[in-house]
Amino acid sequence: MLDSIRVRLTLWYALVLGLVLAFLAVFSYFLYSRSLMQRTDSAIVELSAAFATTFIAELADTSSSAVPSIAAREAMAEHRFRDTVFGLFDSSGNLFASSFDLPVEQDPRLIQAKDLLASSPLRDFATQPDPDPAALRTLPVAQGIFRASARRIAAPAGNFTLVVLQSLHPQRELLADIRHTFYWAISVALLLACIGGYFLARQSLAPVAAMASQARSMGATNLHHRLMVTNSRDELGQLALSINQLLERLEASFEQQRRFVADASHELRTPVAILRGETEVTLSTDDRSPAEYRETLGILRDESRRLARIVEDLFTLTRADAGQYSVNLRDAYLDELATQALVRARSLAAAKDITLKSSVQPDLLIRADETLIDRMLLNLLDNAIKYSPPHTVVELTCRRKGDHLSICVADQGPGIPLELQLRIFERFFRADQTRSRAESESGGAGLGLSIARWIADAHRGHLELTRSDSSGSVFTVTLPAPEMPANPGPG
Ligand code: ADP
């Protein structure tokens, strides 16, 4: 049950509200009870003062024979209150008059005060040397509680101590009523808050439940579905929008992967079909001449090379996509790498009688993965040779320009149509499919430029087609150059 956000929200809400209400209740109860006690105390002190005045007046009254007990009774009759008891002590600490001397029926709750007046704590309280009437004391008895004030009365007839006792029973009852009211009011408030909070949470989280059920129904086959956005400005709307954007990216990458697999299998199918076809044709007859076998084996070798190259390219790209290709950057010399690539491209160029020219600045220090740079140069040179007519020139230029190195491969081929120039870097894209296959024994699968561009990117550089028209094409790679050493060149 606690796994539900609705329930957890409701419980938290109720807990916080409960704490706030409890704090307010305790605080206001404390303030009220304190002010109630203050009011009670000041009423007792006032009553005590009034009683003392009356008592002194009664003592001075000649008609009452100035007998303290009679004067006390007169004063008590005058100041009789429901919850109040008076006790008068003489200078020796003897109780000589109390409210219980009056011939009136006392409130049953006050009867206990009779015992209290006779008790030693009260006697001690009454006989203290100089009692302060405002310093009241709470005195508990068996079933009640009293507030007591003591006052010294100095009269010509002698010194007396007046003790005023007031039952705190009504105050206690009032406070108990307030407590009960708080108990049930807080309980009802919490119950209502729980019910309201639960419905509120359910209402607010309804879009989440809807999103969850929509998301559950989504899979590879319906990735184009999107979550419903009820209000794009609120938090849940923002969440739905973010999920939809994520779905869009997923769909795009899913589609890219699907196309990649479809294109890859398409590319692999052709050489495999050629291998199988050639083998079957050759094996269909027993009496083949050695020359025929050589011819077939030559085709098989070319196709298996082509197959191996496609598989290797695919493997490189998949690892690059997955971020698993570790690029080993080392200090190297670009001029050396360029010369090596030219040597390896020489046989391809010779087959078409293409002249390979190079203009390579010496001591071009570079921080690079040599294998990858070599591969990139070969891909570019291979393309330049592949797509150029015989007896033309292919030129490789490498130089440092400020803080970067520039590698250009220029050919005198037919150029790439403008509308296709951006697409040639796409995977499996070939501007002219038939020519690509027919013209090269290692006819590419349309992956060469994708790999070359990835290699440039992996070195924090970039590869572009800088010019392409009927006079030829120029591919330029720009790579960051390491800082020039103080004393350039190896020792
Ligand atoms: P491929 O394996 O087909 O060579 P690439 O990715 O290397 O694949 O090249 C993609 C396409 O770009 C090629 O099929 C070709 O049409 C075009 N292309 C690449 N380089 C050149 C070039 N130097 N001259 C003309 N067209 C080129």
Side-chain angles (χ1 to χ4, degrees), residues 321-338:
D321 284 350
Q324 285 170 353
Y325 204 109
S326 55
V327 180
N328 296 316
L329 295 181
R330 282 204 223 125
D331 285 340
Y333 284 97
L334 182 60
D335 44 305
E336 286 174 13
L337 295 174

Side-chain angles (χ1 to χ4, degrees), residues 309 313 379-380 382-388 409 411 413-417 420 423-433 435-437 442-451 465 468 472-475:
R309 188 172 162 183
D313 285 354
N379 281 0
L380 294 176
D382 181 50
N383 277 353
I385 296 166
K386 236 175 2 184
Y387 301 112
S388 295
V409 178
D411 62 47
I416 301 158
L420 302 179
R423 298 199 58 201
I424 53 171
F425 294 98
E426 287 175 18
R427 290 171 188 191
F428 299 106
F429 181 80
R430 286 189 303 244
D432 182 346
Q433 311 244 342
R435 190 185 57 183
S436 302
R437 260 189 215 299
S442 57
L447 295 174
L449 286 179
S450 312
I451 292 178
L465 172 64
S468 191
S473 309
V474 181
F475 285 87

Side-chain angles (χ1 to χ4, degrees), residues 55-56 59 68 88-94 96 126 129 151-162:
F55 179 60
I56 292 171
L59 276 178
L88 272 162
F89 294 81
D90 59 20
S91 50
S92 348
N94 295 321
F96 69 90
R151 176 187 291 270
R152 185 65 34 87
I153 302 174
N159 281 343
F160 304 96
T161 305
L162 165 69

